[in-house]
Amino acid sequence: MKSIHVLNGPNLNLLGQREPDVYGRETLADVEARLSAAAQAAGADLLFRQSNHEGDLVDWIQEAGRAGAGVILNAGAYTHSSIALRDAIVGAQAQVIEVHVSNVHAREDFRHVSMIAPVARGIVAGFGTLSYDLALQGLLALRAGK
Ligand code: CA2
């Protein structure tokens, strides 16, 4: 069975609770429920996780690599700073789609830089929480060889 791991970084547990003008009103639990249903309908297995700790994300990327799972990664602010996450993606040979709820390129300059983008297979940003659904659709298509 196709396996997809959705990994979320720091502060994304607050989604839907603060800054609704930037991040919308959906919670991470809402996103998980919708993606799980979509994955099930497509015959894929979905694991959804969030952590505020960089090392957890490194461990989970390595785990996804070992499992041969595709990864949808919203690394939050670690996107802009973490060489450790970038190294984990390369080391794990994981197929990663970088995801952002907001359009990071329309925001502060420091959000224009991504450590992950050069080693990601694709990027989706700026569609609100729909970015996750679009990334899932893209990843499933890639893994089906489309
Ligand atoms: O747009 C995205 O998905 C981000 O990855 C979200 C990160 C931010 O640091 C990135 O530049 C872009 C921040 C996640 C924080 O999420 C919050 C949600 C609600 C309230 C406060 C923070």
Side-chain angles (χ1 to χ4, degrees):
M1 186 183 260
K2 286 167 280 184
S3 185
I4 309 285
H5 293 193
V6 185
L7 308 180
N8 294 282
N11 297 308
L12 283 157
N13 53 312
L14 299 176
L15 208 63
Q17 298 172 37
R18 313 251 169 84
E19 299 188 58
D21 45 320
V22 181
Y23 298 113
R25 296 199 179 275
E26 260 195 352
T27 66
L28 207 56
D30 294 330
V31 177
E32 177 175 8
R34 212 177 48 248
L35 259 69
S36 296
Q40 198 181 2
D45 198 41
L46 190 121
L47 180 67
F48 197 99
R49 290 166 150 174
Q50 187 274 333
S51 176
N52 292 327
H53 306 282
E54 190 176 15
D56 287 342
L57 295 163
V58 169
D59 287 344
W60 293 344
I61 290 165
Q62 290 183 6
E63 193 182 313
R66 283 193 299 273
V71 177
I72 293 170
L73 175 63
N74 186 348
Y78 288 140
T79 303
H80 317 300
S81 64
S82 179
I83 297 166
L85 290 185
R86 179 190 167 123
D87 286 349
I89 292 166
V90 173
Q93 294 189 293
Q95 195 170 37
V96 172
I97 309 296
E98 176 181 336
V99 163
H100 299 288
V101 175
S102 63
N103 177 357
V104 285
H105 295 285
R107 301 182 64 193
E108 303 95 325
D109 284 355
F110 64 83
R111 295 189 207 275
H112 301 179
V113 175
S114 171
M115 295 297 140
I116 292 161
V119 296
R121 179 65 177 76
I123 303 164
V124 184
F127 291 91
T129 49
L130 184 66
S131 292
Y132 286 89
D133 305 65
L134 298 173
L136 178 62
Q137 203 181 326
L139 194 50
L140 289 171
L142 283 176
R143 296 179 84 76
K146 289 179 191 154

